Amino acid sequence: MPPLHTSSRLSNFTAGVRDTVPMLVGAAPFGMIFGTLVATAQLSAWQGQLMSLSVFAGSSQFIAVGLIAGHASMLVIWLATLIVNLRHMLYAASLMPYVRHLPRRWRWTLGFLLTDETFAVVNRYYREHHHAKDGHWYFFGSGLSMYANWQCWTLVGLLFGAIFPKLQTLGLDFAMVATFIAIVVPQLYRRPHLLAAVVAGSTAYALQGLPYKLGLLVAVVAGVGTGMLSSRSSTNKQKEVEPA
């Protein structure tokens, strides 16, 4: 019979994988479409797979491939992907109270595996299990399953992209849109989150005609700024009403 702590870790790991399955389904066509788009940027198949292995950030990978195909400068590519990925710092800050006690190797690993989908799953888990001793194994199971899923479907896209060059036009990308809706909506129960989503969405729609996806970058900055200001305002109001 395995030790109790080993059993707890395994059960948390498998629970993380299990709860992430709906996200895996939604990300599958997204990864496959990315693989098919690699050729449009005149990148080799191994370069596309290496990007998924080392970057592991779907949104920034799509933006990078699009900018490379448009012959954008390296500085524009770097800035675009940096700004888009800044949201991960907010994710990390939200989860830090639950993982700060872990060794550095654990925090680095979990930080690398942190994605929008994993954050949605893990954040819900920690809200329901504030003092989970082996909660990082749940985090690891969710993140690792997303990572393996992304690599597999990127490879599928790379292998079949040449055979089905218009695969990305079949409407499969809507699955990822539906996935992000499922991620975002449960987070809108707080006023700062709702305002950030409304401002970011409105800004992205209004500036969608800007070149190099600059409208998206402005929307990210506007949304994050709005969320931070609203959160700070709410905190200050709470302090004012608290008795001295």
Side-chain angles (χ1 to χ4, degrees):
M1 184 175 180
L4 183 60
H5 69 277
T6 301
S7 177
S8 174
R9 292 172 180 176
L10 181 59
S11 62
N12 276 305
F13 179 87
T14 54
V17 175
R18 180 197 63 221
D19 293 346
T20 309
V21 168
M23 303 298 182
L24 302 182
V25 175
F30 197 48
M32 185 164 55
I33 293 170
F34 169 74
T36 65
L37 289 177
V38 167
T40 66
Q42 298 181 343
L43 295 174
S44 301
W46 70 268
Q47 292 173 317
Q49 190 69 57
L50 180 62
M51 186 183 292
S52 284
L53 286 166
S54 58
V55 178
F56 186 43
S59 299
S60 63
Q61 288 180 227
F62 269 84
I63 290 174
V65 167
L67 292 175
I68 292 172
H71 306 289
S73 68
M74 185 59 68
L75 179 61
V76 170
I77 296 172
W78 185 83
L79 287 174
T81 54
L82 173 65
I83 293 174
V84 168
N85 280 339
L86 283 178
R87 69 190 188 283
H88 290 265
M89 295 183 64
L90 301 178
Y91 296 162
S94 297
L95 298 177
M96 180 58 72
Y98 306 108
V99 300
R100 62 159 47 101
H101 65 285
L102 298 174
R104 187 174 299 175
R105 66 180 184 277
W106 262 107
R107 297 199 305 270
W108 286 356
T109 300
L110 297 178
F112 175 74
L113 295 174
L114 182 60
T115 61
D116 302 281
E117 297 86 353
T118 295
F119 172 75
V121 173
V122 173
N123 188 49
R124 183 179 66 245
Y125 171 82
Y126 276 126
R127 288 206 310 264
E128 297 173 354
H129 306 83
H130 297 284
H131 306 290
K133 182 178 179 181
D134 292 322
H136 54 290
W137 283 94
Y138 181 96
F139 193 157
F140 185 54
S142 176
L144 188 62
S145 61
M146 281 299 303
Y147 183 76
N149 184 69
W150 184 251
Q151 307 314 317
C152 290
W153 288 106
T154 296
L155 181 59
V156 170
L158 291 170
L159 293 176
F160 291 96
I163 303 174
F164 306 104
K166 295 184 179 180
L167 191 64
Q168 67 271 22
T169 66
L170 300 180
L172 296 176
D173 51 336
F174 180 74
M176 200 60 194
V177 175
T179 299
F180 272 98
I181 291 174
I183 292 172
V184 172
V185 171
Q187 308 299 323
L188 303 183
Y189 64 96
R190 293 183 57 203
R191 184 169 177 268
H193 296 174
L194 179 60
L195 289 176
V198 171
V199 170
S202 301
T203 304
Y205 180 78
L207 302 180
Q208 59 183 312
L210 293 181
Y212 302 121
K213 306 291 184 181
L214 292 177
L216 178 61
L217 305 186
V218 175
V220 171
V221 174
V224 171
T226 300
M228 292 179 65
L229 289 174
S230 179
S231 180
R232 182 176 299 178
S233 176
S234 299
T235 301
N236 291 337
K237 289 181 179 179
Q238 289 178 358
K239 289 181 178 180
E240 291 176 0
V241 300
E242 288 179 355

